[in-house]
Amino acid sequence: MAGRRQYGQHFPPVNVTAKDTTGAGDAFIGYFATVYVKTGDVARAITAANHYATDSVTHLGTQMSYADREAFIRFYPDFAEM
């Protein structure tokens, strides 16, 4: 409809070769919540969570395969301040 406002923002995917997608949604929502609580910035939380979930699919398994903070920061230093 003419004159109707559109809202939204596109968050592009991070391309990797996935080994196991089990738990990627849990990784995303967990990291999103962590970053959002720390920063109050929804866009920053989505971006960080996209990267964290992307990393999670490059390993086999779920929680035990998730990167700890130090490992994640080594690969994505832009998120060190969170």
Side-chain angles (χ1 to χ4, degrees):
M1 292 174 36
R4 186 173 184 184
R5 289 186 180 186
Q6 292 186 359
Y7 297 93
Q9 184 174 348
H10 176 73
F11 295 92
V14 180
N15 294 318
V16 297
T17 300
K19 291 183 181 178
D20 185 356
T21 61
T22 306
D26 293 340
F28 178 89
I29 199 63
Y31 209 74
F32 172 85
T34 298
V35 174
Y36 181 69
V37 166
K38 288 182 178 182
T39 68
D41 185 337
V42 172
R44 186 79 171 146
I46 291 171
T47 300
N50 274 346
H51 284 80
Y52 193 78
T54 296
D55 181 72
S56 79
V57 304
T58 64
H59 310 283
L60 295 176
T62 57
Q63 290 179 354
M64 295 303 291
S65 70
Y66 293 166
D68 62 18
R69 180 172 170 28
E70 291 76 28
F72 183 65
I73 297 307
R74 274 196 306 274
F75 291 104
Y76 299 105
D78 290 349
F79 303 111
E81 76 279 358
M82 289 180 235

